[in-house]
Amino acid sequence: MPALWMSGIRKQFGRRDLWAPLDLTVEAGERVALLGANGSGKSTLLRIAATVSPATAGAVVVAGLDAKRNPEQARGKLSHLPQDAPCYAELTPHEHLRWWSRVQGVTVDPDAALVEAGLATMAHKPTSSLSRGQRQRLALAMALAPDRPLLILDEPFAALDADGVNALERQLTGRGSAMLIALHDEAQARRIAHRVLRLDAAGVRPT
């Protein structure tokens, strides 16, 4: 059973289709990287895959669950990192992870997660005091906390320093979840993905 199956997906803005109807499958345990120019609709496609934005037409099935018929159950099979994931300025990273574990219904050790994210020294400081790269590390820690069959990650390496990039590459390639990852760096995509696709107005194609 595929972790993600998308068929005949269309997205219209006004009367304009963003791309031709497209099909996309991510098999269980497969890492698929999605490349594309700015404005090609990578983030839009990932939001549709994550069931947080509706397609104009087409079907999305997550781990065997139809996203239209069973949206909450389908959402429970995936974890989504949006681009520029929001964090609450007044909460600490430790409080974020405690809150997120309750929202997701999972058991998370905030201290261990923050050590892995390189945020142990910032655990009890307001998120407003974190740099952009540190906020990205926190957003990743939350996205990676649930052990879900499917991860949908939009530019997860954004704002990370070299150490953060290397650590995240190891973390993703060492994880057994299926992944759909939007990236802009083709060399990086080929390092971490089993398959690399490119999105443009014609749809998705191997590259």
Side-chain angles (χ1 to χ4, degrees):
M1 179 189 302
L4 175 66
W5 182 81
M6 305 176 77
S7 178
I9 299 297
R10 293 175 54 220
K11 184 66 176 182
Q12 276 187 325
F13 291 99
R15 296 183 179 181
R16 183 179 71 91
D17 277 311
L18 192 53
W19 354 262
L22 60 83
D23 302 330
L24 192 157
T25 301
V26 181
E27 299 294 344
E30 182 185 28
R31 296 187 299 274
V32 175
L34 186 66
L35 302 174
N38 289 340
S40 61
K42 298 189 300 295
S43 294
T44 298
L45 183 58
L46 263 62
R47 287 196 297 269
I48 292 170
T51 77
V52 298
S53 179
T56 302
V60 178
V61 178
V62 180
L65 293 165
D66 187 306
K68 284 186 180 177
R69 296 179 182 175
N70 304 286
E72 293 300 324
Q73 294 93 325
R75 221 167 278 137
K77 296 293 184 180
L78 63 87
S79 188
H80 176 217
L81 174 76
Q83 196 172 29
D84 297 321
C87 293
Y88 297 101
E90 69 277 9
L91 295 181
T92 66
H94 196 276
E95 289 167 338
H96 270 99
L97 281 163
R98 288 172 51 203
W99 161 74
W100 189 241
S101 66
R102 290 196 298 271
V103 169
Q104 295 294 311
V106 296
T107 300
V108 176
D109 181 343
D111 295 313
L114 292 170
V115 167
E116 187 170 22
L119 292 174
T121 60
M122 307 296 290
H124 299 288
K125 296 183 179 181
T127 298
S128 58
S129 67
L130 271 59
S131 68
R132 183 167 175 244
Q134 289 170 330
R135 290 195 299 273
Q136 181 72 357
R137 286 173 182 251
L138 173 58
L140 282 161
M142 292 192 291
L144 297 175
D147 185 15
R148 298 280 164 76
L150 175 64
L151 292 176
I152 297 176
L153 308 174
D154 195 349
E155 297 290 354
F157 296 93
L160 296 182
D161 59 16
D163 288 342
V165 168
N166 292 335
L168 182 57
E169 285 189 4
R170 289 193 300 271
Q171 194 172 7
L172 295 182
T173 55
R175 190 163 176 145
S177 302
M179 301 179 197
L180 178 62
I181 312 171
L183 295 169
H184 66 275
D185 185 330
E186 185 169 350
Q188 184 177 61
R190 296 196 181 281
R191 282 198 303 272
I192 65 176
H194 299 112
R195 189 158 50 101
V196 180
L197 303 176
R198 188 171 296 277
L199 177 66
D200 56 27
V204 289
R205 56 185 169 82
T207 187

